[in-house]
Amino acid sequence: MNFELKPMGLVGVANEKCDALIVLVPQAFKAGKDDLSVLIGQALKSGDLEAKPGKTLALYRPLQSNAVRVVLAFVGDGAALQVRKAVLSAVGLVKTSSLKKLLMSFAAPAREDAVRAAVAAIADATYAYTQTKSKPEGRTLQKAVVAATNASEVQASFDRAVAIVMGVELAKEWANRPANHATPTMLGQAAKELAQLPRVSCEVLGPKEVAKLGMGSFMAVAQGSDQPLQFVVLRYDGALKSKSPTVLVGKGITFDSGGISIKPAPEMDEMKFDMSGAASVLGVFRALAQLKPAINVVGLIPSCENLINGRAVKPGDVVTSMSGQTIEILNTDAEGRLVLCDALTYAERFKPTAVVDIATLTGACVIALGGVRSGLFAPQDALADALMKAGDAAQDLCWRMPLDDDYAEGLKTSFADVANVAGRAGGSITAAKFLQRFTEKFPWAHLDIAGTAWKSGAAKGATGRPVGLLVEYLMAQATSK
Ligand code: BES
Ligand code: MN
Ligand code: ZN
Protein backbone atom coordinates (compact mmCIF):
# COMPACT_ATOMS: atom_id res chain seq x y z
CA MET A 1 0.00 0.00 0.00
CA ASN A 2 1.11 3.46 -0.88
CA PHE A 3 0.68 6.53 1.34
CA GLU A 4 0.82 10.10 0.12
CA LEU A 5 0.44 13.43 1.91
CA LYS A 6 -1.08 16.25 -0.18
CA PRO A 7 -1.45 19.93 0.63
CA MET A 8 -5.16 20.30 0.00
CA GLY A 9 -8.22 21.88 1.54
CA LEU A 10 -11.84 20.77 1.22
CA VAL A 11 -12.28 22.34 -2.24
CA GLY A 12 -9.46 20.22 -3.64
CA VAL A 13 -10.63 17.20 -1.70
CA ALA A 14 -14.14 17.47 -3.20
CA ASN A 15 -12.69 17.42 -6.72
CA GLU A 16 -10.47 14.38 -6.19
CA LYS A 17 -11.69 11.10 -7.68
CA CYS A 18 -11.52 8.20 -5.22
CA ASP A 19 -13.43 5.15 -4.03
CA ALA A 20 -13.91 6.60 -0.59
CA LEU A 21 -13.45 9.94 1.10
CA ILE A 22 -13.27 10.27 4.86
CA VAL A 23 -13.53 13.77 6.25
CA LEU A 24 -12.37 14.19 9.86
CA VAL A 25 -14.56 16.89 11.35
CA PRO A 26 -13.31 18.53 14.53
CA GLN A 27 -15.27 20.36 17.20
CA ALA A 28 -13.79 23.62 15.95
CA PHE A 29 -14.98 23.08 12.36
CA LYS A 30 -15.86 26.31 10.58
CA ALA A 31 -17.90 25.90 7.41
CA GLY A 32 -16.52 27.75 4.38
CA LYS A 33 -18.49 28.65 1.28
CA ASP A 34 -17.63 25.60 -0.79
CA ASP A 35 -20.30 22.91 -1.25
CA LEU A 36 -18.60 20.22 0.82
CA SER A 37 -18.05 22.56 3.77
CA VAL A 38 -21.66 23.68 3.62
CA LEU A 39 -22.79 20.05 3.62
CA ILE A 40 -20.65 19.28 6.68
CA GLY A 41 -21.97 22.38 8.43
CA GLN A 42 -25.56 21.30 7.79
CA ALA A 43 -24.92 17.72 8.94
CA LEU A 44 -23.50 19.05 12.20
CA LYS A 45 -26.28 21.54 12.71
CA SER A 46 -29.05 19.04 12.10
CA GLY A 47 -27.40 16.50 14.38
CA ASP A 48 -27.20 13.88 11.60
CA LEU A 49 -23.49 13.99 12.28
CA GLU A 50 -23.51 13.70 16.06
CA ALA A 51 -20.93 15.85 17.81
CA LYS A 52 -19.47 12.90 19.74
CA PRO A 53 -15.99 11.53 19.04
CA GLY A 54 -16.16 8.44 16.83
CA LYS A 55 -19.64 9.21 15.44
CA THR A 56 -19.95 8.96 11.67
CA LEU A 57 -22.34 9.81 8.84
CA ALA A 58 -22.05 7.74 5.65
CA LEU A 59 -23.15 9.08 2.25
CA TYR A 60 -23.28 7.54 -1.24
CA ARG A 61 -22.22 9.62 -4.25
CA PRO A 62 -23.19 12.98 -2.75
CA LEU A 63 -23.13 15.76 -5.37
CA GLN A 64 -20.68 17.73 -3.25
CA SER A 65 -17.81 15.29 -3.92
CA ASN A 66 -16.26 13.15 -6.66
CA ALA A 67 -15.94 10.18 -4.31
CA VAL A 68 -18.14 7.09 -4.52
CA ARG A 69 -18.52 6.87 -0.77
CA VAL A 70 -18.14 9.68 1.71
CA VAL A 71 -17.94 9.35 5.46
CA LEU A 72 -17.99 12.33 7.78
CA ALA A 73 -16.35 11.41 11.08
CA PHE A 74 -16.45 13.57 14.17
CA VAL A 75 -13.08 13.76 15.96
CA GLY A 76 -13.74 16.06 18.93
CA ASP A 77 -10.65 18.11 19.72
CA GLY A 78 -8.71 16.25 17.02
CA ALA A 79 -6.32 14.49 19.40
CA ALA A 80 -4.64 11.24 18.41
CA LEU A 81 -6.89 8.87 20.32
CA GLN A 82 -10.10 10.37 18.93
CA VAL A 83 -8.73 10.42 15.41
CA ARG A 84 -7.72 6.79 15.75
CA LYS A 85 -11.20 5.74 16.87
CA ALA A 86 -12.92 7.79 14.19
CA VAL A 87 -10.69 6.48 11.40
CA LEU A 88 -11.14 2.86 12.49
CA SER A 89 -14.91 3.12 12.40
CA ALA A 90 -15.00 5.21 9.21
CA VAL A 91 -12.74 2.80 7.32
CA GLY A 92 -14.97 -0.03 8.54
CA LEU A 93 -17.88 1.63 6.74
CA VAL A 94 -16.12 1.94 3.38
CA LYS A 95 -14.08 -1.26 3.40
CA THR A 96 -15.37 -3.15 0.39
CA SER A 97 -13.60 -5.18 -2.27
CA SER A 98 -13.71 -2.13 -4.55
CA LEU A 99 -11.82 0.11 -2.13
CA LYS A 100 -8.60 0.84 -4.03
CA LYS A 101 -8.07 4.53 -3.46
CA LEU A 102 -8.90 6.20 -0.17
CA LEU A 103 -8.75 9.91 0.51
CA MET A 104 -8.69 11.17 4.06
CA SER A 105 -9.07 14.83 4.77
CA PHE A 106 -8.48 16.92 7.85
CA ALA A 107 -11.17 19.57 7.82
CA ALA A 108 -8.92 21.82 9.92
CA PRO A 109 -5.13 22.23 10.25
CA ALA A 110 -3.89 18.75 11.13
CA ARG A 111 -2.12 18.08 14.41
CA GLU A 112 1.07 16.03 14.18
CA ASP A 113 -0.13 13.31 16.56
CA ALA A 114 -3.42 13.14 14.66
CA VAL A 115 -1.69 12.64 11.30
CA ARG A 116 0.30 9.79 12.76
CA ALA A 117 -2.76 8.23 14.36
CA ALA A 118 -4.66 8.48 11.09
CA VAL A 119 -1.93 6.76 9.07
CA ALA A 120 -1.61 3.97 11.64
CA ALA A 121 -5.38 3.48 11.82
CA ILE A 122 -5.82 3.31 8.02
CA ALA A 123 -3.16 0.59 7.89
CA ASP A 124 -4.61 -1.27 10.87
CA ALA A 125 -8.16 -1.24 9.55
CA THR A 126 -7.16 -2.54 6.11
CA TYR A 127 -4.46 -5.11 7.00
CA ALA A 128 -5.24 -8.67 5.92
CA TYR A 129 -3.21 -11.80 6.62
CA THR A 130 -2.89 -13.90 3.47
CA GLN A 131 0.25 -16.01 3.77
CA THR A 132 -1.33 -19.42 4.33
CA LYS A 133 -4.67 -19.03 2.52
CA SER A 134 -5.24 -20.86 -0.75
CA LYS A 135 -7.43 -18.03 -2.08
CA PRO A 136 -5.95 -14.95 -0.55
CA GLU A 137 -8.47 -12.17 -0.04
CA GLY A 138 -5.85 -9.60 0.65
CA ARG A 139 -5.96 -5.88 1.12
CA THR A 140 -7.52 -4.23 -1.90
CA LEU A 141 -6.50 -0.72 -0.87
CA GLN A 142 -3.61 0.42 -3.03
CA LYS A 143 -3.37 4.09 -2.28
CA ALA A 144 -4.21 6.20 0.73
CA VAL A 145 -3.98 9.95 0.25
CA VAL A 146 -3.97 12.13 3.35
CA ALA A 147 -5.01 15.71 2.68
CA ALA A 148 -4.13 18.58 4.99
CA THR A 149 -3.95 22.31 4.44
CA ASN A 150 -0.76 22.43 6.53
CA ALA A 151 0.88 19.45 4.81
CA SER A 152 4.44 20.80 4.90
CA GLU A 153 4.23 21.29 8.68
CA VAL A 154 3.29 17.67 9.29
CA GLN A 155 5.40 16.02 6.57
CA ALA A 156 8.06 14.66 8.98
CA SER A 157 5.44 13.14 11.27
CA PHE A 158 3.70 11.65 8.27
CA ASP A 159 6.94 10.08 6.98
CA ARG A 160 7.70 8.59 10.38
CA ALA A 161 4.19 7.18 10.63
CA VAL A 162 4.48 5.56 7.21
CA ALA A 163 7.84 3.98 8.12
CA ILE A 164 6.34 2.68 11.36
CA VAL A 165 3.45 1.16 9.39
CA MET A 166 5.93 -0.72 7.19
CA GLY A 167 7.65 -2.03 10.32
CA VAL A 168 4.40 -2.89 12.08
CA GLU A 169 3.18 -4.82 9.04
CA LEU A 170 6.40 -6.82 8.79
CA ALA A 171 6.10 -7.64 12.50
CA LYS A 172 2.44 -8.65 12.12
CA GLU A 173 3.24 -10.79 9.12
CA TRP A 174 5.88 -12.85 10.94
CA ALA A 175 4.05 -13.05 14.25
CA ASN A 176 0.88 -14.25 12.50
CA ARG A 177 2.58 -17.06 10.61
CA PRO A 178 1.93 -20.55 11.95
CA ALA A 179 4.97 -22.13 13.57
CA ASN A 180 5.49 -24.54 10.67
CA HIS A 181 5.74 -21.52 8.37
CA ALA A 182 7.95 -19.56 10.75
CA THR A 183 10.66 -21.87 12.04
CA PRO A 184 13.83 -20.43 13.60
CA THR A 185 15.58 -21.00 10.26
CA MET A 186 12.86 -19.13 8.34
CA LEU A 187 12.99 -16.29 10.85
CA GLY A 188 16.77 -16.12 10.37
CA GLN A 189 16.18 -16.01 6.61
CA ALA A 190 13.76 -13.11 7.03
CA ALA A 191 16.42 -11.23 9.01
CA LYS A 192 18.98 -11.90 6.28
CA GLU A 193 16.61 -10.49 3.70
CA LEU A 194 16.50 -7.23 5.64
CA ALA A 195 20.22 -6.88 4.95
CA GLN A 196 19.32 -5.89 1.39
CA LEU A 197 18.08 -2.60 2.78
CA PRO A 198 20.44 0.39 3.07
CA ARG A 199 22.72 0.43 6.15
CA VAL A 200 21.44 -2.96 7.39
CA SER A 201 23.61 -6.05 7.75
CA CYS A 202 22.90 -9.43 9.27
CA GLU A 203 24.67 -12.51 10.51
CA VAL A 204 22.94 -15.67 11.73
CA LEU A 205 24.71 -18.06 14.10
CA GLY A 206 23.73 -21.74 14.21
CA PRO A 207 23.99 -24.44 16.90
CA LYS A 208 27.77 -24.90 16.56
CA GLU A 209 28.62 -21.23 16.96
CA VAL A 210 26.17 -20.84 19.82
CA ALA A 211 27.72 -23.85 21.61
CA LYS A 212 31.15 -22.27 21.17
CA LEU A 213 29.88 -19.08 22.81
CA GLY A 214 28.77 -21.17 25.80
CA MET A 215 25.09 -20.26 25.65
CA GLY A 216 24.11 -23.27 27.76
CA SER A 217 20.81 -21.77 28.87
CA PHE A 218 19.57 -20.98 25.34
CA MET A 219 20.74 -24.43 24.16
CA ALA A 220 18.83 -26.16 26.95
CA VAL A 221 15.54 -24.77 25.62
CA ALA A 222 16.38 -25.66 22.01
CA GLN A 223 17.44 -29.26 22.72
CA GLY A 224 13.85 -30.54 22.90
CA SER A 225 13.21 -29.74 19.25
CA ASP A 226 14.43 -31.11 15.91
CA GLN A 227 14.57 -27.59 14.50
CA PRO A 228 18.06 -26.13 14.91
CA LEU A 229 18.27 -22.97 17.01
CA GLN A 230 19.31 -19.71 15.34
CA PHE A 231 20.89 -16.62 16.83
CA VAL A 232 20.32 -13.54 14.68
CA VAL A 233 22.64 -10.53 14.85
CA LEU A 234 21.25 -7.57 12.90
CA ARG A 235 23.02 -4.23 12.58
CA TYR A 236 21.82 -0.84 11.49
CA ASP A 237 24.83 1.44 10.99
CA GLY A 238 23.68 5.02 10.59
CA ALA A 239 26.45 6.74 12.56
CA LEU A 240 30.24 6.52 13.00
CA LYS A 241 31.55 3.20 14.27
CA SER A 242 32.78 4.96 17.42
CA LYS A 243 29.22 5.77 18.46
CA SER A 244 28.00 3.05 20.79
CA PRO A 245 24.78 1.34 19.76
CA THR A 246 21.41 0.68 21.30
CA VAL A 247 20.82 -3.07 21.41
CA LEU A 248 17.36 -4.59 20.97
CA VAL A 249 16.85 -8.20 22.05
CA GLY A 250 13.71 -9.96 20.82
CA LYS A 251 12.39 -13.24 22.23
CA GLY A 252 12.13 -15.60 19.26
CA ILE A 253 10.37 -18.74 20.51
CA THR A 254 8.63 -19.82 17.30
CA PHE A 255 6.40 -22.18 19.27
CA ASP A 256 6.05 -22.56 23.03
CA SER A 257 4.47 -25.87 24.03
CA GLY A 258 5.82 -25.37 27.54
CA GLY A 259 8.20 -28.32 27.14
CA ILE A 260 7.94 -31.09 29.77
CA SER A 261 6.03 -28.57 31.93
CA ILE A 262 3.51 -28.72 29.09
CA LYS A 263 0.79 -26.15 28.61
CA PRO A 264 -2.94 -27.06 28.61
CA ALA A 265 -4.38 -27.78 25.13
CA PRO A 266 -6.96 -24.96 24.86
CA GLU A 267 -5.47 -21.98 23.05
CA MET A 268 -2.03 -23.54 22.84
CA ASP A 269 -2.04 -22.52 19.16
CA GLU A 270 -1.60 -18.93 20.35
CA MET A 271 1.93 -19.80 21.37
CA LYS A 272 2.95 -19.37 17.71
CA PHE A 273 2.98 -15.67 18.67
CA ASP A 274 5.80 -16.30 21.14
CA MET A 275 8.26 -14.79 18.67
CA SER A 276 6.45 -11.44 18.61
CA GLY A 277 9.42 -9.76 20.32
CA ALA A 278 11.67 -11.02 17.55
CA ALA A 279 9.14 -9.91 14.93
CA SER A 280 9.11 -6.42 16.44
CA VAL A 281 12.90 -6.24 16.12
CA LEU A 282 12.60 -7.12 12.41
CA GLY A 283 9.94 -4.44 12.05
CA VAL A 284 12.11 -1.81 13.73
CA PHE A 285 14.96 -2.50 11.31
CA ARG A 286 12.57 -2.18 8.39
CA ALA A 287 11.53 1.25 9.65
CA LEU A 288 15.10 2.37 10.43
CA ALA A 289 16.23 1.56 6.90
CA GLN A 290 13.55 3.91 5.64
CA LEU A 291 14.04 6.75 8.13
CA LYS A 292 17.86 6.59 8.11
CA PRO A 293 18.54 8.20 11.50
CA ALA A 294 22.18 8.90 12.49
CA ILE A 295 22.42 6.19 15.14
CA ASN A 296 23.72 2.66 15.49
CA VAL A 297 21.39 -0.16 16.46
CA VAL A 298 22.03 -3.86 17.02
CA GLY A 299 19.21 -6.40 16.96
CA LEU A 300 19.67 -9.77 18.66
CA ILE A 301 17.19 -12.63 18.25
CA PRO A 302 17.67 -15.92 20.10
CA SER A 303 15.26 -18.21 18.28
CA CYS A 304 14.18 -21.81 18.83
CA GLU A 305 11.14 -23.97 19.55
CA ASN A 306 10.17 -25.01 23.08
CA LEU A 307 9.13 -28.62 22.42
CA ILE A 308 9.38 -32.08 23.91
CA ASN A 309 11.48 -34.94 22.59
CA GLY A 310 13.59 -37.56 24.35
CA ARG A 311 16.40 -35.08 24.78
CA ALA A 312 14.24 -32.27 26.15
CA VAL A 313 15.41 -30.41 29.23
CA LYS A 314 13.74 -31.66 32.44
CA PRO A 315 12.49 -29.87 35.55
CA GLY A 316 15.37 -29.85 38.00
CA ASP A 317 18.11 -29.81 35.34
CA VAL A 318 20.88 -27.31 36.04
CA VAL A 319 22.51 -25.52 33.10
CA THR A 320 25.35 -23.02 32.80
CA SER A 321 24.56 -19.74 31.09
CA MET A 322 27.03 -17.78 28.96
CA SER A 323 27.55 -15.45 31.94
CA GLY A 324 28.84 -18.39 33.98
CA GLN A 325 25.84 -18.31 36.33
CA THR A 326 24.20 -21.69 36.80
CA ILE A 327 20.41 -21.96 36.50
CA GLU A 328 18.10 -24.58 37.92
CA ILE A 329 15.27 -25.07 35.42
CA LEU A 330 12.33 -25.76 37.73
CA ASN A 331 9.74 -25.08 35.04
CA THR A 332 10.52 -25.66 31.37
CA ASP A 333 7.68 -23.31 30.43
CA ALA A 334 9.66 -20.35 31.77
CA GLU A 335 11.83 -20.64 28.65
CA GLY A 336 11.78 -17.04 27.46
CA ARG A 337 14.09 -15.83 30.22
CA LEU A 338 16.41 -18.76 29.49
CA VAL A 339 16.98 -17.73 25.89
CA LEU A 340 17.05 -14.02 26.69
CA CYS A 341 19.67 -14.23 29.46
CA ASP A 342 22.32 -15.53 27.06
CA ALA A 343 21.43 -12.92 24.46
CA LEU A 344 21.78 -10.23 27.16
CA THR A 345 25.26 -11.50 28.03
CA TYR A 346 26.14 -11.51 24.33
CA ALA A 347 25.01 -7.85 24.15
CA GLU A 348 27.91 -6.82 26.45
CA ARG A 349 30.38 -7.00 23.57
CA PHE A 350 28.76 -4.01 21.87
CA LYS A 351 29.38 -1.73 24.89
CA PRO A 352 25.82 -0.46 24.38
CA THR A 353 24.33 2.85 25.55
CA ALA A 354 21.23 0.86 26.38
CA VAL A 355 19.79 -2.61 25.91
CA VAL A 356 16.04 -3.10 25.53
CA ASP A 357 14.62 -6.60 25.45
CA ILE A 358 11.16 -7.25 24.08
CA ALA A 359 9.38 -10.47 25.02
CA THR A 360 6.02 -12.19 25.31
CA LEU A 361 7.38 -13.27 28.66
CA THR A 362 4.62 -13.90 31.19
CA GLY A 363 0.92 -14.66 31.45
CA ALA A 364 1.13 -12.69 34.70
CA CYS A 365 1.73 -9.50 32.71
CA VAL A 366 -1.49 -10.13 30.78
CA ILE A 367 -3.32 -10.39 34.12
CA ALA A 368 -1.67 -7.22 35.44
CA LEU A 369 -2.01 -4.88 32.45
CA GLY A 370 -4.28 -6.59 29.92
CA GLY A 371 -3.94 -5.65 26.27
CA VAL A 372 -3.70 -1.89 26.66
CA ARG A 373 -0.21 -1.27 28.03
CA SER A 374 2.98 -3.31 27.77
CA GLY A 375 4.89 -3.94 31.01
CA LEU A 376 7.99 -1.74 31.28
CA PHE A 377 10.78 -2.71 33.66
CA ALA A 378 13.85 -0.49 33.93
CA PRO A 379 15.98 0.20 36.99
CA GLN A 380 17.14 3.59 35.67
CA ASP A 381 14.63 6.42 35.63
CA ALA A 382 16.12 8.11 32.55
CA LEU A 383 15.67 5.07 30.34
CA ALA A 384 12.25 4.28 31.79
CA ASP A 385 11.07 7.85 31.18
CA ALA A 386 12.38 7.88 27.61
CA LEU A 387 10.52 4.67 26.79
CA MET A 388 7.30 5.83 28.47
CA LYS A 389 7.46 9.07 26.51
CA ALA A 390 8.10 7.23 23.25
CA GLY A 391 5.09 5.01 23.92
CA ASP A 392 2.87 8.02 24.51
CA ALA A 393 4.07 9.71 21.33
CA ALA A 394 3.49 6.58 19.26
CA GLN A 395 0.17 5.72 20.93
CA ASP A 396 1.83 2.42 21.80
CA LEU A 397 1.53 2.58 25.55
CA CYS A 398 3.48 0.95 28.35
CA TRP A 399 3.44 1.11 32.16
CA ARG A 400 6.37 1.02 34.55
CA MET A 401 6.54 -1.88 36.97
CA PRO A 402 8.68 -2.25 40.11
CA LEU A 403 12.01 -4.05 40.45
CA ASP A 404 12.60 -4.12 44.22
CA ASP A 405 15.22 -6.68 45.19
CA ASP A 406 12.78 -8.34 47.58
CA TYR A 407 10.95 -9.66 44.53
CA ALA A 408 14.00 -11.83 43.75
CA GLU A 409 13.74 -13.85 47.00
CA GLY A 410 11.72 -16.62 45.38
CA LEU A 411 14.39 -17.26 42.75
CA LYS A 412 16.79 -18.62 45.37
CA THR A 413 17.66 -22.33 45.27
CA SER A 414 20.13 -24.69 46.93
CA PHE A 415 21.09 -26.37 43.67
CA ALA A 416 22.25 -23.50 41.42
CA ASP A 417 23.01 -19.77 41.47
CA VAL A 418 19.39 -19.02 40.58
CA ALA A 419 16.14 -20.81 39.74
CA ASN A 420 14.23 -19.92 36.59
CA VAL A 421 10.90 -19.45 38.43
CA ALA A 422 9.59 -18.14 41.71
CA GLY A 423 6.01 -18.54 43.01
CA ARG A 424 2.89 -17.37 41.17
CA ALA A 425 2.80 -14.01 42.95
CA GLY A 426 4.18 -11.09 40.95
CA GLY A 427 5.10 -13.40 38.09
CA SER A 428 6.00 -10.72 35.56
CA ILE A 429 8.24 -9.00 38.12
CA THR A 430 10.11 -12.12 39.22
CA ALA A 431 10.74 -12.87 35.53
CA ALA A 432 12.23 -9.38 35.14
CA LYS A 433 14.32 -9.89 38.30
CA PHE A 434 15.74 -13.05 36.73
CA LEU A 435 16.73 -11.13 33.59
CA GLN A 436 18.21 -8.28 35.60
CA ARG A 437 20.96 -10.59 36.88
CA PHE A 438 22.40 -10.59 33.35
CA THR A 439 22.36 -6.83 32.78
CA GLU A 440 24.98 -5.43 35.15
CA LYS A 441 27.19 -4.03 32.40
CA PHE A 442 24.73 -1.64 30.71
CA PRO A 443 21.55 0.40 31.20
CA TRP A 444 18.71 -2.02 30.58
CA ALA A 445 14.97 -2.07 30.04
CA HIS A 446 12.59 -4.96 29.54
CA LEU A 447 9.23 -4.78 27.75
CA ASP A 448 6.81 -7.60 28.55
CA ILE A 449 4.46 -7.63 25.55
CA ALA A 450 2.56 -10.83 26.39
CA GLY A 451 -0.72 -8.87 26.54
CA THR A 452 -0.13 -6.34 23.78
CA ALA A 453 1.57 -8.20 20.92
CA TRP A 454 -1.57 -9.97 19.82
CA LYS A 455 -5.32 -10.12 20.25
CA SER A 456 -7.23 -13.29 21.00
CA GLY A 457 -10.90 -13.95 20.28
CA ALA A 458 -12.68 -13.13 17.03
CA ALA A 459 -10.07 -10.59 15.91
CA LYS A 460 -7.24 -13.00 16.68
CA GLY A 461 -3.96 -11.74 15.30
CA ALA A 462 -0.73 -9.90 15.81
CA THR A 463 -0.75 -6.16 16.56
CA GLY A 464 2.77 -5.27 15.48
CA ARG A 465 3.42 -3.70 18.88
CA PRO A 466 5.74 -2.32 20.18
CA VAL A 467 7.36 -1.31 16.86
CA GLY A 468 5.91 2.20 17.18
CA LEU A 469 7.25 2.70 20.69
CA LEU A 470 10.72 1.43 19.77
CA VAL A 471 11.06 3.47 16.58
CA GLU A 472 9.96 6.56 18.45
CA TYR A 473 12.51 5.90 21.20
CA LEU A 474 15.33 5.36 18.69
CA MET A 475 14.43 8.46 16.66
CA ALA A 476 14.63 10.52 19.85
CA GLN A 477 18.19 9.18 20.37
CA ALA A 478 19.09 10.52 16.93
CA THR A 479 18.09 14.07 17.78
CA SER A 480 19.17 14.22 21.42
CA LYS A 481 22.90 13.63 20.84
N1 BES B 1 5.19 -17.42 26.33
C1 BES B 1 4.76 -17.59 27.68
C2 BES B 1 4.09 -16.34 28.24
C3 BES B 1 2.68 -16.08 27.78
C4 BES B 1 1.64 -16.73 28.40
C5 BES B 1 2.43 -15.16 26.82
C6 BES B 1 0.34 -16.44 28.00
C7 BES B 1 1.14 -14.88 26.42
C8 BES B 1 0.09 -15.53 27.03
C9 BES B 1 5.96 -17.91 28.59
O1 BES B 1 6.98 -18.62 28.01
C10 BES B 1 5.43 -18.71 29.71
O2 BES B 1 5.00 -19.80 29.47
N2 BES B 1 5.48 -18.18 30.92
C11 BES B 1 4.99 -18.83 32.07
C12 BES B 1 5.96 -18.62 33.19
C13 BES B 1 5.68 -19.45 34.41
C14 BES B 1 5.94 -20.90 34.11
C15 BES B 1 6.54 -18.97 35.53
C16 BES B 1 3.63 -18.25 32.40
O3 BES B 1 3.44 -17.03 32.28
O4 BES B 1 2.73 -19.02 32.72
MN1 MN C 1 6.63 -20.73 28.16
ZN1 ZN D 1 7.14 -18.44 25.96
Side-chain angles (χ1 to χ4, degrees):
M1 188 189 19
N2 196 333
F3 278 98
E4 194 188 337
L5 178 65
K6 274 195 184 173
M8 202 156 55
L10 283 177
V11 176
V13 163
N15 281 325
E16 188 100 351
K17 275 210 161 126
C18 57
D19 302 304
L21 163 65
I22 295 171
V23 184
L24 305 178
V25 183
Q27 188 97 59
F29 177 75
K30 290 209 177 60
K33 292 209 170 71
D34 60 286
D35 292 348
L36 185 55
S37 291
V38 171
L39 176 73
I40 297 168
Q42 287 170 346
L44 273 172
K45 201 168 167 210
S46 67
D48 286 294
L49 175 60
E50 258 188 89
K52 279 194 198 136
K55 290 286 178 185
T56 52
L57 177 64
L59 312 160
Y60 183 67
R61 291 193 188 278
L63 295 171
Q64 292 84 348
S65 152
N66 262 327
V68 181
R69 292 183 173 77
V70 175
V71 177
L72 310 180
F74 192 78
V75 293
D77 63 6
L81 194 62
Q82 301 186 337
V83 167
R84 179 180 163 74
K85 281 196 179 137
V87 173
L88 286 177
S89 54
V91 173
L93 293 172
V94 297
K95 204 172 126 183
T96 62
S97 55
S98 56
L99 178 63
K100 294 199 178 69
K101 182 179 170 189
L102 171 71
L103 175 61
M104 172 159 312
S105 163
F106 285 87
R111 289 169 47 158
E112 291 192 66
D113 61 337
V115 170
R116 301 179 48 174
V119 169
I122 293 171
D124 249 356
T126 57
Y127 171 84
Y129 171 82
T130 57
Q131 189 66 26
T132 44
K133 300 253 184 104
S134 68
K135 294 187 195 70
E137 288 165 32
R139 165 191 270 151
T140 56
L141 185 63
Q142 291 162 0
K143 193 170 178 82
V145 179
V146 175
T149 50
N150 59 337
S152 58
E153 269 170 52
V154 295
Q155 184 74 49
S157 295
F158 177 84
D159 292 343
R160 191 179 292 186
V162 173
I164 288 174
V165 162
M166 311 273 287
V168 162
E169 300 213 337
L170 182 67
K172 280 188 185 180
E173 199 54 42
W174 276 97
N176 277 332
R177 279 189 203 192
N180 65 329
H181 292 263
T183 61
T185 306
M186 293 176 197
L187 207 58
Q189 202 57 43
K192 277 186 193 154
E193 273 161 33
L194 283 174
Q196 289 169 7
L197 300 172
R199 301 180 178 190
V200 179
S201 56
C202 176
E203 189 190 358
V204 181
L205 312 184
K208 274 196 196 131
E209 288 120 318
V210 163
K212 219 167 153 194
L213 286 164
M215 294 187 171
S217 183
F218 177 22
M219 285 157 60
V221 177
Q223 77 193 32
S225 161
D226 293 344
Q227 292 289 339
L229 66 76
Q230 305 281 300
F231 189 80
V232 173
V233 184
L234 271 163
R235 300 194 67 125
Y236 168 82
D237 293 304
L240 291 175
K241 274 218 163 69
S242 56
K243 196 164 171 188
S244 75
T246 302
V247 178
L248 305 177
V249 181
K251 173 178 173 183
I253 300 294
T254 58
F255 188 75
D256 180 11
S257 72
I260 301 276
S261 315
I262 194 167
K263 287 183 181 296
E267 280 143 35
M268 202 205 270
D269 64 289
E270 294 189 347
M271 285 301 131
K272 71 173 180 177
F273 294 116
D274 214 16
M275 34 59 75
S276 295
S280 77
V281 173
L282 298 182
V284 168
F285 274 75
R286 179 74 189 74
L288 288 175
Q290 187 152 328
L291 292 169
K292 302 192 176 66
I295 50 170
N296 294 326
V297 184
V298 173
L300 302 177
I301 299 175
S303 180
C304 67
E305 295 182 324
N306 186 20
L307 282 185
I308 321 167
N309 61 23
R311 274 167 285 120
V313 73
K314 304 168 290 299
D317 285 2
V318 173
V319 298
T320 304
S321 66
M322 185 180 175
S323 72
Q325 297 178 67
T326 59
I327 303 165
E328 185 185 23
I329 301 178
L330 287 173
N331 189 320
T332 64
D333 197 11
E335 86 297 340
R337 61 199 79 179
L338 295 175
V339 307
L340 290 171
C341 70
D342 281 340
L344 288 169
T345 302
Y346 187 86
E348 288 174 5
R349 68 186 56 203
F350 301 103
K351 302 193 168 54
T353 35
V355 176
V356 182
D357 78 69
I358 309 105
T360 47
L361 203 64
T362 64
C365 194
V366 189
I367 302 299
L369 297 173
V372 181
R373 287 179 186 259
S374 305
L376 164 64
F377 299 82
Q380 295 185 8
D381 292 343
L383 183 53
D385 292 347
L387 287 163
M388 272 292 273
K389 213 172 130 208
D392 290 345
Q395 283 289 301
D396 184 356
L397 306 174
C398 60
W399 193 255
R400 193 171 179 191
M401 304 280 280
L403 279 167
D404 304 271
D405 281 337
D406 284 346
Y407 283 110
E409 279 302 305
L411 294 170
K412 288 189 174 151
T413 165
S414 317
F415 301 102
D417 299 344
V418 65
N420 79 326
V421 288
R424 269 167 56 83
S428 70
I429 310 168
T430 54
K433 288 308 284 183
F434 177 91
L435 292 177
Q436 192 179 11
R437 298 175 62 97
F438 302 85
T439 64
E440 269 163 12
K441 304 236 163 78
F442 41 71
W444 160 77
H446 157 60
L447 287 165
D448 194 332
I449 58 167
T452 53
W454 78 85
K455 294 188 178 119
S456 2
K460 186 186 299 201
T463 61
R465 291 175 68 181
V467 170
L469 182 159
L470 293 168
V471 171
E472 197 62 40
Y473 166 71
L474 292 169
M475 292 305 286
Q477 304 307 301
T479 49
S480 71
K481 271 166 239 153

